[in-house]
């Protein structure tokens, strides 16, 4: 039962799409288990570049079945446009499976996301504005709309009524917006039903049967560990569980089935949106990381905040996910620095702290304690094995591995599928 979880070890955008695509050729199923089209996963295959938001990155591997699990929130309009965009480029999307239990991002939840952010003003989260938070809130509040509801008009109407009863009051009275019409929402949602029906399936049954037959299943996380609703930098987080446990609840597979948990770890750190970020740089180094690393959001086009590698965060990701491996990405971006600072601990109110503080106040006060590692100037994008790397790059990787608490089993030296140094096999 080889079930692997692949997830972000930092604040997202670590290169999960590339890593998933790399494995896609050797696995039978790739499953998204949480999040929605807030994700932006870039995959480069030869001279073709794909930006995926909702669809699992495995969709680009012809023999792999892509699955959208019950834990995902699905915006049907985005789903259909992403599918047609891929079809236009000759990608076969017919194998896609979508859980009937996945929740639907309704147009009114996109509206609520945007007005809430506007209302929060300076305290805003900096969400992607895709309706993610309000849709998960409806799910937990038990007024959500699920994919299966599209196939029962009467139930759908009742559920949209229940959801809008309260929301329309808030929209009109608090936010001074026009109330949303139940009939209009129902009509729009019903318009998607036929187009999606062929993909809807009992995905937990299919995945568990596949595991019983020794098929390989890869669970692809969106976002990252520090954006997790429980384990991240709350409230500056997304509204789901990108951490490893989320794969079980978000796909209906028991924890005993998971054999490997791979953390995707950028060789430096980035973050999009608001929230604490101890190693953030506001100088020329930060600007250089952004420029060389191409650190601009795939979903919202926002510049990503950039900073040095933070080993405290990596250790934390190892702990809360039970990581068995790391995939270190974007090592090539660090080429050219004479010295590379790495955060090994924090100083909080005059005390050295080795682990991520559980108190948010403490984390806001955390100052990075840096160790400088010697850099390298040689181009490493063509490196095929660990020994091809310059000595200082090897030492940088080894130092990160030692500080982070799990073996680095692969290293990314460029965006392409083959620009990867594989040290230990993932399968
Ligand atoms: P994801 O959200 O975790 O899938 O990551 P994104 O796609 O948002 O951002 C990662 C970016 O880095 C993408 O543009 C990738 O093409 C690129 N990338 C991934 N791995 C590497 C690598 O090892 N080196 C370089 N230079 N780029 C990489
Ligand atoms: P991938 O999968 C980076 C961030 C947003 C915001 C916070 C909440 O590409 O790594 P949301 O719209 O989810 O309610 O926004 O989470 N965020 C991401 N940051 N990568 C992502 O996805 C993200 N998805 C959400 O910027 O700070
Ligand atoms: Mg991304």
């Amino acid at each position: 039962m080889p079930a692997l979880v692949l997830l972000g070890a930092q604040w997202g955008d670590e290169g999960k799409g590339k890593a998933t695509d790399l494995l896609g050729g050797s696995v039978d199923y790739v499953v998204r288990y949480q999040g929605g089209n807030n994700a932006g996963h870039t995959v480069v295959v030869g001279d073709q570049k794909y930006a995926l938001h909702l669809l699992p990155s495995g969709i680009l591997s012809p023999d792999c079945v892509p699955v959208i699990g019950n834990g995902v929130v699905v915006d049907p309009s985005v789903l259909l446009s992403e599918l047609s965009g891929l079809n236009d480029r000759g990608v076969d999307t017919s194998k896609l499976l979508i859980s009937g239990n996945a929740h639907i991002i309704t147009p009114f939840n996109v509206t609520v996301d945007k007005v809430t952010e506007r209302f929060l003003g300076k305290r805003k989260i900096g969400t992607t504005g895709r309706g993610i938070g309000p849709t998960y809130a409806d799910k937990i509040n038990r007024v959500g709309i699920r994919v299966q509801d599209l196939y029962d008009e009467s139930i759908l109407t009742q559920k949209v009524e229940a959801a809008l009863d309260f929301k329309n009051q808030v929209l009109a009275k608090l936010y001074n917006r026009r109330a949303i019409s139940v009939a209009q929402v129902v009509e729009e949602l019903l318009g998607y039903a036929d187009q999606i029906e062929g993909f809807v399936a009992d995905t937990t049954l299919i995945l568990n049967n596949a595991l019983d037959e020794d098929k390989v299943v890869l669970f692809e996380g969106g976002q990252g560990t520090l954006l997790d609703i429980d384990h991240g930098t709350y409230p500056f987080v997304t509204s789901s569980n990108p951490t490893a446990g989320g794969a079980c609840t978000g796909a209906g597979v028991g924890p005993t089935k998971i054999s490997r948990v791979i953390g995707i770890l950028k060789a430096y750190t980035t973050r999009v949106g608001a929230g604490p970020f101890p190693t953030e740089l506001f100088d020329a180094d930060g600007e250089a990381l952004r420029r060389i690393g191409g650190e601009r959001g795939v979903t919202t086009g926002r510049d990503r905040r950039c900073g040095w590698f933070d080993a405290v965060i990596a250790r934390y990701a190892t702990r809360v996910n039970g990581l068995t491996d790391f995939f270190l990405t974007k090592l090539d971006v660090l080429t050219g620095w004479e010295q590379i600072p790495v955060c090994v601990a924090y100083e909080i109110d005059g005390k050295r702290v080795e682990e991520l503080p559980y108190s948010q106040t403490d984390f806001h006060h955390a100052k990075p304690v840096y160790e400088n590692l010697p850099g390298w100037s040689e181009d490493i994008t063509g490196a095929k094995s660990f020994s091809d790397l310059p000595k200082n790059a090897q030492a940088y990787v080894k130092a990160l591995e030692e500080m982070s608490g799990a073996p680095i089993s692969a290293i990314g030296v460029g965006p392409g599928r083959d620009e990867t140094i594989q040290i230990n096999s993932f399968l």
Side-chain angles (χ1 to χ4, degrees), residues 175-191:
Y175 295 124
N176 211 13
R177 304 272 297 210
R178 250 187 308 164
I180 294 166
S181 136
V182 171
Q184 222 171 328
V185 172
V186 170
E187 192 189 328
E188 177 174 341
L189 293 179
L190 286 176

Side-chain angles (χ1 to χ4, degrees), residues 96-417:
L96 176 70
L97 301 176
I98 304 175
S99 166
N101 286 352
H103 280 246
I104 292 206
I105 302 179
T106 54
F108 57 78
N109 275 340
V110 177
T111 306
V112 171
D113 192 358
K114 290 178 179 157
V115 293
T116 310
E117 281 283 276
R118 213 168 302 146
F119 202 71
L120 281 170
K122 273 207 310 244
R123 287 167 297 144
K124 71 177 179 187
I125 308 292
T127 73
T128 58
R130 302 299 193 261
I132 305 294
T135 304
Y136 278 114
D138 280 0
K139 173 178 175 175
I140 299 300
N141 221 7
R142 295 161 295 189
V143 291
I145 290 155
R146 296 191 290 177
V147 168
Q148 59 180 288
D149 299 331
L150 298 182
Y151 306 98
D152 186 329
E153 186 172 347
S154 139
I155 291 272
L156 179 67
T157 308
Q158 286 173 39
K159 289 195 172 181
V160 173
E161 263 166 12
L164 279 179
D165 243 5
F166 175 74
K167 276 202 188 72
N168 271 337
Q169 301 279 338
V170 176
L171 281 173
K173 293 184 182 151
L174 191 62
Y175 295 124
N176 211 13
R177 304 272 297 210
R178 250 187 308 164
I180 294 166
S181 136
V182 171
Q184 222 171 328
V185 172
V186 170
E187 192 189 328
E188 177 174 341
L189 293 179
L190 286 176
Y192 300 125
D194 286 351
Q195 302 176 72
I196 293 174
E197 194 167 12
F199 301 122
V200 181
D202 186 348
T203 53
T204 67
L205 182 65
I206 293 168
L207 291 172
N208 279 285
N209 283 344
L211 287 167
D212 289 344
E213 289 163 20
D214 250 358
K215 297 264 172 43
V216 186
V217 178
L218 175 66
F219 298 93
E220 178 192 17
Q223 294 76 51
T225 300
L226 275 297
L227 286 172
D228 187 280
I229 186 85
D230 287 284
H231 301 292
T233 48
Y234 191 89
F236 302 103
V237 292
T238 192
S239 299
S240 66
N241 288 118
T243 47
C248 296
T249 48
V253 165
T256 48
K257 302 275 166 79
I258 309 287
S259 45
R260 205 110 177 227
V261 185
I262 304 160
I264 313 301
L265 187 67
K266 212 179 272 194
Y268 49 99
T269 315
T270 63
R271 170 162 209 173
V272 195
F277 177 2
T279 63
E280 183 169 14
L281 293 167
F282 301 95
D283 59 6
D285 281 332
E287 201 42 59
L289 287 173
R290 190 172 304 119
R291 179 174 41 82
I292 302 167
E295 298 297 352
R296 181 177 284 264
V298 184
T299 299
T300 56
R302 289 179 288 181
D303 273 355
R304 293 174 181 154
R305 301 157 63 191
C306 294
W308 299 121
F309 184 82
D310 185 336
V312 183
I313 280 173
R315 276 199 290 281
Y316 180 71
T318 303
R319 176 178 11 133
V320 297
N321 294 299
L323 295 182
T324 56
D325 303 79
F326 279 114
F327 188 142
L328 186 72
T329 60
K330 301 192 108 167
L331 186 64
D332 53 298
V333 173
L334 294 179
T335 300
W337 265 275
E338 230 167 83
Q339 299 273 324
I340 309 171
V342 168
C343 168
V344 294
Y346 299 142
E347 191 195 295
I348 302 173
D349 301 331
K351 282 204 198 95
R352 185 182 166 108
V353 174
E354 306 280 336
E355 297 293 335
L356 199 86
Y358 75 87
S359 144
Q360 194 201 343
T361 309
D362 284 352
F363 192 56
H364 276 266
H365 294 164
K367 293 198 189 78
V369 175
Y370 285 118
E371 239 173 53
N372 281 323
L373 301 180
W376 60 92
S377 55
E378 300 89 332
D379 178 14
I380 61 168
T381 50
K384 296 280 172 243
S385 69
F386 190 67
S387 59
D388 290 344
L389 292 175
K391 285 279 168 289
N392 285 350
Q394 292 186 15
Y396 184 81
V397 174
K398 282 287 158 206
L400 262 46
E401 182 173 81
E402 209 150 286
M403 292 170 199
S404 304
I408 292 177
S409 295
I411 305 167
V413 291
R417 238 181 217 178

Side-chain angles (χ1 to χ4, degrees), residues 12-14 16 39-42 298-299 304:
D13 302 324
E14 299 89 349
K16 297 175 293 292
H41 298 174
T42 315
V298 184
T299 299
R304 293 174 181 154

